[in-house]
Amino acid sequence: MQYAHDPALLLARFQFAFTVGVHIIFPAFSIGLAAYLAVLEGLWLRTGRPVFLDLYRYWIKVFSIVFGMGVVSGLVMSYEFGTNWSVFSKKAGPITGVLLSYEVMTAFFLEAGFLGVMLFGMNKVGRGLHFAATCCVSVGTLISMTWILSSNSWMQTPRGYTIDPATGRFMPADWLAIIFNPSFPFRLVHMGLAAFLSVAFIVGATGAWHMLKARKAGKISSEPVRVMFSMAMWMAAIVAPLQILAGDAHGLNTLKYQPAKIAAMEGDWVSEDHAPELLFGIPNMKTEHTDYAVKLPLAGSLILTHSLNGKVPGMKDFPRDQRPPSPVIFFSFRIMVALGMLMMLVGLWSLWLRRNSTLFTNPLFHRVALCMAPAGFLALLCGWITTEVGRQPWTVYGLLRTSDSVSPVALSSMAFSMTAFVVVYVLVFGSGLGILVRMLGRAPQEGEHDTPPSHASGILATSMHPGVIDPSTGKGA
């Protein structure tokens, strides 16, 4: 592939992947946690049970840190579009730039308008108004995800455009077709469920940790700990199966519009019906063969087409310079699926324990739940690797190559900025994660203080910038 032989291009891609990979965790966390906070406050208002208010005050402190780090990490993408991907910005800007500006004018303004009330107004405004502010922030994160995914999905399945013959720029011809492009609905649902599921396992792992600590100390875990663990396991039991169904629907859509990506994901080289599913293998791009393949007969056709005799594409159907790097997405896809299955099994296990009234007393399950803390975010990252690497060698699928989208930046400059990013990110976000771990290491108490930590206020005050809150792809306006 052409992009594999250009070190500057490869480093530009790796730099964007690194910054987006770090960033995407925080907005996804914000999406799920904002919704959880809205549910907690709504339950408190409806039932009057103090435990829901205690949990709200506990998790809003975490939200303030996560939201602040999401804003800070998102700022970088705005500049990378101009410094490293200026050709892409010039050609696709009339479409992607407008979609990102819609995010700013809707989601960002909504979040910015109500975030302060949500974080600091519990004792300053009425209960109904404060709940409305929490809901507005939660809705704002979902709207932001919608616009970002619309932009990114258009890059995967472009529709509603014309190409200016003089400049090569993509010009909008039908905004409804652009926004609601073929892959957008599937990817929106898949990403939203991923955010909710990721947060559910963080909340569940936190509860499991505190129950294990209480058990070790010979104590009974507190009511807030049990309630948040129970809520997290309900979410896992309900959302994990839905996520698998959403992923299946997304796969059918990808087969229709991006068959080369499916072939690379599956490690298939020759199109065939009655195709097996490769459980394991090592795709070899040079020999055009998947080595050490472990196959499950007929399962490939059944999974991909819902028919035993359905035809599955092979990478030899496509020119060599239009094939995605199969070894990367072959494994990232399987890791994502394996983690999804594990999360579903944990959710189903929790239902069995709940039925036997042992959900809060089974230490083995608590240890498993604790180990599953990063499972949702790891699956999310693997899913985005599969999606974005599987689009290669294109930035706009089938129309604009990655090698034709990069800025003419010297390799030395790219290497310097990459090194600087790694060092700064490790220091800044390593510290932020350390703060989060310490916060979660303390169990929720009755009468939780409702003011976020002062360092969170500083982060938010110094980093609020239009167009950098990107809760799905990490791309700024």
Side-chain angles (χ1 to χ4, degrees):
M1 298 181 196
Q2 181 179 352
Y3 56 79
H5 304 293
D6 185 344
L9 173 58
L10 192 61
L11 199 56
R13 293 181 59 220
F14 181 77
Q15 179 174 306
F16 198 79
F18 172 76
T19 51
V20 171
V22 172
H23 172 67
I24 193 174
I25 298 298
F26 301 114
F29 205 157
S30 298
I31 293 169
L33 197 51
Y36 182 51
L37 288 169
V39 170
L40 287 173
E41 189 169 9
L43 288 172
W44 170 59
L45 292 175
R46 178 166 183 169
T47 66
R49 291 178 59 187
V51 65
F52 293 120
L53 179 59
D54 292 336
L55 287 173
Y56 179 90
R57 288 174 167 172
Y58 178 80
W59 283 104
I60 198 172
K61 300 169 189 175
V62 177
F63 177 79
S64 67
I65 300 295
V66 170
F67 191 92
M69 288 197 291
V71 171
V72 172
S73 60
L75 182 63
V76 176
M77 263 60 73
S78 302
Y79 295 101
E80 281 185 293
F81 276 123
T83 58
N84 295 355
W85 301 99
S86 59
V87 180
F88 166 80
S89 298
K90 179 180 179 180
K91 292 188 175 182
I95 291 177
T96 58
V98 172
L99 293 176
L100 291 173
S101 69
Y102 288 165
E103 182 224 357
V104 174
M105 292 187 293
T106 56
F108 177 80
F109 288 165
L110 186 63
E111 292 168 323
F114 289 95
L115 183 63
V117 178
M118 176 187 178
L119 294 179
F120 306 108
M122 177 66 79
N123 299 321
K124 298 178 176 64
V125 299
R127 292 182 176 183
L129 178 57
H130 189 272
F131 178 57
T134 302
C135 291
C136 285
V137 172
S138 179
V139 170
T141 63
L142 295 173
I143 293 175
S144 187
M145 176 182 69
T146 300
W147 287 118
I148 295 295
L149 275 173
S150 178
S151 176
N152 186 265
S153 297
W154 180 83
M155 294 164 62
Q156 302 278 347
T157 51
R159 292 293 187 278
Y161 65 92
T162 60
I163 299 179
D164 187 332
T167 62
R169 303 181 76 189
F170 296 92
M171 306 304 296
D174 183 345
W175 278 110
L176 287 179
I178 289 171
I179 295 170
F180 298 101
N181 58 79
S183 64
F184 167 67
F186 301 92
R187 300 179 71 238
L188 178 66
V189 172
H190 203 38
M191 179 64 196
L193 292 176
F196 296 148
L197 197 57
S198 299
V199 170
F201 275 90
I202 291 293
V203 173
T206 304
W209 168 249
H210 292 300
M211 283 191 287
L212 288 170
K213 285 177 63 179
R215 181 183 181 88
K216 186 177 181 180
K219 301 178 181 178
I220 299 176
S221 55
S222 65
E223 184 184 13
V225 169
R226 295 196 305 273
V227 169
M228 74 177 179
F229 184 72
S230 177
M231 294 178 73
M233 291 303 104
W234 273 123
M235 180 64 78
I238 295 170
V239 175
L242 292 177
Q243 179 69 310
I244 291 174
L245 293 176
D248 177 67
H250 187 196
L252 295 176
N253 177 266
T254 305
L255 175 63
K256 180 178 180 179
Y257 293 100
Q258 295 177 297
K261 181 188 289 188
I262 288 291
M265 285 165 49
E266 296 297 327
D268 294 325
W269 294 92
V270 179
S271 60
E272 58 179 327
D273 50 20
H274 301 89
E277 174 70 16
L278 273 65
L279 301 178
F280 178 80
I282 302 178
N284 190 320
M285 300 295 288
K286 293 182 178 180
T287 63
E288 299 184 332
H289 180 265
T290 299
D291 303 325
Y292 312 109
V294 178
K295 302 180 180 180
L296 187 62
L298 303 178
S301 291
L302 181 62
I303 293 172
L304 289 172
T305 68
H306 293 183
S307 171
L308 290 174
N309 60 356
K311 189 172 183 179
V312 174
M315 278 190 284
K316 289 184 180 180
D317 296 345
F318 310 95
R320 283 178 174 267
D321 65 349
Q322 296 182 19
R323 299 173 186 171
S326 181
V328 177
I329 62 176
F330 181 87
F331 287 105
S332 64
F333 174 70
R334 278 153 182 77
I335 293 171
M336 178 191 69
V337 172
L339 289 170
M341 292 297 181
L342 284 175
M343 287 186 282
M344 183 179 70
L345 289 175
V346 170
L348 296 177
W349 188 5
S350 74
L351 293 178
W352 175 260
L353 295 177
R354 195 185 298 271
R355 181 187 178 191
N356 296 328
S357 301
T358 56
L359 182 64
F360 305 125
T361 59
N362 190 309
L364 176 60
F365 181 69
H366 298 162
R367 292 188 181 95
V368 171
L370 179 61
C371 292
M372 290 291 289
F377 289 120
L378 290 176
L380 186 151
L381 286 171
C382 287
W384 274 97
I385 290 171
T386 303
T387 296
E388 299 304 312
V389 177
R391 188 185 59 209
Q392 299 302 316
W394 312 98
T395 46
V396 180
Y397 192 76
L399 298 169
L400 180 62
R401 286 183 174 271
T402 307
S403 56
D404 297 329
S405 303
V406 70
S407 303
V409 180
L411 176 61
S412 58
S413 299
M414 200 73 71
F416 175 80
S417 61
M418 180 72 248
T419 303
F421 276 133
V422 170
V423 172
V424 172
Y425 272 50
V426 168
L427 292 175
V428 174
F429 297 108
S431 301
L433 289 175
I435 293 171
L436 285 176
V437 170
R438 288 197 299 272
M439 292 174 68
L440 296 176
R442 183 187 64 81
Q445 306 293 326
E446 294 184 5
E448 281 283 328
H449 196 274
D450 66 340
T451 302
S454 58
H455 45 259
S457 306
I459 291 175
L460 293 172
T462 58
S463 63
M464 293 297 284
H465 185 283
V468 298
I469 304 174
D470 308 322
S472 52
T473 64
K475 298 172 183 176

